[in-house]
């Protein structure tokens, strides 16, 4: 009625006491198509679960790895903008920790170079100001002397101006 198939096997047998008879075996055969369909469905579900788990795991690992790369990149960008106060940050990966250490060292060195540069400029401007002040003062004296200076005093002032100009030229060189 329900379209089940069966396997029937019959055999003639003789018992030890000499009586004979038939042995009948009847077995219902389960259709193989339903078993294959069940296994296929289970395989698809397991495959989907494994793919979702692998995707989630890959996302977590990539986020953890890229976080230190992003922090190092941001520190390098701030260094390129002249912000030398880069805080060292920890990293679980040796290579990124070494790169971060190198970046912090470079920031410290660049900060020192910038401080030395400012100091050098301040010293140079001070050293240049001294002869320029002397030249300006002597030239002002000549301009406002109202012809009260004699030729020897004028010659001395011109000599001082020339000497100061040479001194200034030597500093520039």
């Amino acid at each position: 009625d329900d379209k089940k198939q069966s396997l029937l096997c019959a055999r003639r047998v003789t018992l030890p006491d000499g009586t004979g008879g038939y042995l009948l075996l009847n077995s219902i055969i389960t259709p193989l198509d339903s078993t294959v369909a069940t296994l296929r469905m289970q395989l698809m579900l397991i495959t989907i679960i494994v793919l979702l788990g692998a995707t989630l795991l890959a996302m977590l690992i990539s986020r953890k790895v890229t976080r230190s790369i992003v922090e190092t990149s941001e520190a390098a960008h701030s260094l390129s903008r002249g912000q030398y106060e880069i805080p060292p940050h920890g990293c679980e990966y040796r290579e990124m920790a070494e790169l971060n250490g190198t970046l912090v060292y470079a920031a410290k060195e660049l900060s020192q170079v910038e401080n030395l540069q400012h100091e050098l400029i301040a010293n140079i401007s001070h050293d240049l100001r001294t002869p320029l002040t002397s030249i300006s003062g002597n030239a002002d004296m000549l301009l406002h002397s109202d012809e009260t200076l004699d030729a020897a005093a004028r010659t001395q002032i011109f000599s001082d101006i020339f000497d100061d100009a040479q001194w200034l030229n030597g500093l520039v060189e």
Side-chain angles (χ1 to χ4, degrees), residues 2-7 27-36 38:
D2 52 0
K3 297 183 182 179
K4 290 184 180 175
Q5 296 179 355
S6 64
L7 178 63
S27 176
I28 297 174
I29 300 174
T30 305
L32 192 59
D33 292 341
S34 66
T35 304
V36 170
T38 302

Side-chain angles (χ1 to χ4, degrees), residues 32-52:
L32 192 59
D33 292 341
S34 66
T35 304
V36 170
T38 302
L39 289 175
R40 184 174 289 139
M41 181 61 90
Q42 289 175 349
L43 179 64
M44 286 189 339
L45 285 173
I46 290 171
T47 302
I48 290 171
I49 290 170
V50 168
L51 284 176
L52 287 175

Side-chain angles (χ1 to χ4, degrees), residues 34-151:
S34 66
T35 304
V36 170
T38 302
L39 289 175
R40 184 174 289 139
M41 181 61 90
Q42 289 175 349
L43 179 64
M44 286 189 339
L45 285 173
I46 290 171
T47 302
I48 290 171
I49 290 170
V50 168
L51 284 176
L52 287 175
T55 303
L56 181 64
L57 185 63
M59 288 173 53
L60 290 174
I61 290 172
S62 68
R63 181 171 295 176
K64 186 176 181 181
V65 169
T66 57
R67 183 177 348 132
S68 61
I69 294 172
V70 168
E71 288 174 354
T72 302
S73 177
E74 288 171 355
H77 284 297
S78 67
L79 182 63
S80 71
R81 291 188 299 269
Q83 298 170 346
Y84 302 124
E85 306 304 320
I86 298 176
H89 54 277
C91 183
E92 299 169 7
Y93 303 103
R94 181 178 50 88
E95 293 84 1
M96 289 305 299
E98 288 176 5
L99 182 60
N100 290 336
T102 303
L103 195 61
V104 168
Y105 175 76
K108 288 178 184 175
E109 292 296 314
L110 285 173
S111 177
Q112 276 186 324
V113 166
E114 187 173 7
N115 290 339
L116 289 174
Q117 182 182 17
H118 286 301
E119 187 178 322
L120 177 68
I121 289 172
N123 288 339
I124 288 174
S125 66
H126 174 72
D127 288 345
L128 293 177
R129 219 175 267 124
T130 303
L132 282 175
T133 302
S134 178
I135 291 171
S136 290
N138 286 329
D140 186 52
M141 189 184 315
L142 283 175
L143 284 174
H144 297 95
S145 65
D146 295 335
E147 302 293 329
T148 57
L149 295 175
D150 62 349

Side-chain angles (χ1 to χ4, degrees), residues 8-11 22-26:
L8 182 61
C9 184
R11 182 172 282 233
Y22 289 95
L23 177 65
L24 292 174
L25 294 173
N26 185 13

